[in-house]
Amino acid sequence: MLNKIYDWVDERVDLTPIWRDVADHEVPEHVNPAHHFSAFVYCFGGLTFFLVVIQFLSGMFLTMYYVPDIMNAYESVKYLQNEVAYGQIVRGMHHWGASLVIVMMFLHTLRVFFQGAYKKPRELNWVIGVSIFMIILGLGFTGYLLPWDMKAYFATKVGLEIAASVPFLGGYIETLLAGGGVIGAQTLARFFAIHVFFLPAALLGLIAAHFILIRRQGISGPL
């Protein structure tokens, strides 16, 4: 059955050459753990991508129940946590995944830096990778407010004060994020929009560019 479906799709969009181009791509020997124990450090990027996929899928599930307004946000999270089938598990995956993806991205960035993989001809990919790191941090910050509890409120308040301390642009950044002088309905709406629409769209575009450059330039050599 699956073969028939694949053949039907392949006949119309010519999938086989694309699949062969991916599947037949040679992987350098120095990233094979069977030959080099240190090759495990090359897994950090793939693990980061795997966690990003989990965050996207679990986040899509959470948005089906979350209500982004100050009257219902906390109650919608409580309902998801206690009443929805597997809701506690999915929310837990999203919650802990948000921390793990930052850890893995940090380790991946350290690997690239200490192995000199940011040097010519990979300077542009380094900039893209650092931009991805910044977006992931932004996703963590904007997502923290969404449960709309006391911890989220005061953590966001501290974050906005830090943003306000940026020279010259701090006031504009704080106003852009908070939507006013206090953390309220406008803040929650903006954080939700940034967390669910703007940052994920930018992240997808940068990850696509990152993979294209990796494919064109190849995996960097050993230390």
Side-chain angles (χ1 to χ4, degrees):
M1 182 62 180
L2 292 177
N3 288 335
K4 290 182 178 180
I5 294 174
Y6 177 85
D7 292 339
W8 186 89
V9 175
D10 184 47
E11 185 179 358
R12 286 154 180 80
V13 297
D14 202 18
L15 282 175
T16 299
I18 301 174
W19 169 246
R20 288 297 180 190
D21 185 51
V22 174
D24 295 340
H25 184 66
E26 184 177 355
V27 178
E29 183 180 345
H30 66 274
V31 302
N32 187 346
H35 296 93
H36 299 277
F37 175 75
S38 61
F40 76 93
V41 299
Y42 288 90
C43 297
F44 293 150
L47 289 172
T48 303
F49 176 70
F50 174 71
L51 289 169
V52 167
V53 172
I54 290 178
Q55 290 303 97
F56 267 95
L57 295 177
S58 59
M60 291 167 64
F61 177 84
L62 296 180
T63 56
M64 294 169 59
Y65 295 94
Y66 181 72
V67 182
D69 69 69
I70 58 175
M71 300 300 296
N72 298 294
Y74 179 78
E75 290 300 323
S76 67
V77 173
K78 184 178 178 181
Y79 174 78
L80 170 69
Q81 184 86 6
N82 300 321
E83 303 296 335
V84 177
Y86 308 109
Q88 188 175 17
I89 295 175
V90 177
R91 188 185 175 222
M93 292 170 60
H94 198 75
H95 172 80
W96 293 108
S99 299
L100 285 175
V101 72
I102 292 174
V103 172
M104 295 310 304
M105 188 69 199
F106 179 69
L107 292 175
H108 178 56
T109 303
L110 286 181
R111 197 280 299 173
V112 172
F113 179 78
F114 283 112
Q115 291 194 323
Y118 59 88
K119 298 178 181 179
K120 184 180 179 181
R122 298 180 174 86
E123 304 96 329
L124 178 59
N125 217 8
W126 167 257
V127 173
I128 292 175
V130 172
S131 300
I132 291 174
F133 198 177
M134 294 299 103
I135 288 177
I136 288 176
L137 290 175
L139 284 165
F141 175 62
T142 53
Y144 206 86
L145 178 65
L146 301 187
W148 197 247
D149 54 14
M150 295 300 291
K151 182 171 69 172
Y153 177 88
F154 286 107
T156 302
K157 183 177 177 62
V158 172
L160 290 176
E161 290 173 353
I162 294 173
S165 66
V166 175
F168 305 111
L169 300 176
Y172 297 103
I173 295 174
E174 183 184 23
T175 301
L176 175 66
L177 293 174
V182 297
I183 299 175
Q186 189 68 249
T187 312
L188 183 62
R190 293 193 179 198
F191 271 54
F192 177 77
I194 293 171
H195 186 76
V196 174
F197 298 110
F198 294 101
L199 291 183
L203 182 61
L204 286 175
L206 288 173
I207 287 177
H210 194 61
F211 283 154
I212 290 172
L213 287 176
I214 290 174
R215 187 59 189 273
R216 287 184 177 275
Q217 298 166 350
I219 300 175
S220 61
L223 181 66

